[in-house]
Amino acid sequence: MILTCQQMQEAESAAFARGVQASDLMDEAGLGIAEVIQQFHPNGGMAVLFLGKGNNAGDAWWRPSISCKRAGR
């Protein structure tokens, strides 16, 4: 699913209104990124991430490494 910036902001606002914490969203986003990387590279290796600025770059920057460590990679 591809969302526009406005749609993503609305989805985040709705989640925050339900009491979801930003760190929880980052964990989920990072876990999703890590799962896709592991799906295409099950034997490990190096991944190169091209990141912009803002919160999405934060998700991509460090959450996958934590998720991979949790998965034993």
Side-chain angles (χ1 to χ4, degrees), residues 14-36:
F16 296 148
R18 291 190 313 272
V20 175
Q21 300 294 314
S23 60
D24 294 332
L25 291 179
M26 289 181 72
D27 283 337
E28 288 296 318
L31 182 59
I33 293 167
E35 288 174 350
V36 169

Side-chain angles (χ1 to χ4, degrees), residues 44-63:
M46 182 185 303
V48 178
L49 304 174
F50 293 93
L51 310 173
K53 57 184 179 178
N55 291 338
N56 290 334
D59 301 343
W61 175 249
W62 65 281
R63 295 295 177 170

Side-chain angles (χ1 to χ4, degrees), residues 6-22:
Q6 181 177 348
Q7 290 171 321
M8 189 68 237
Q9 290 169 346
E10 291 170 358
E12 286 181 339
S13 293
F16 296 148
R18 291 190 313 272
V20 175
Q21 300 294 314

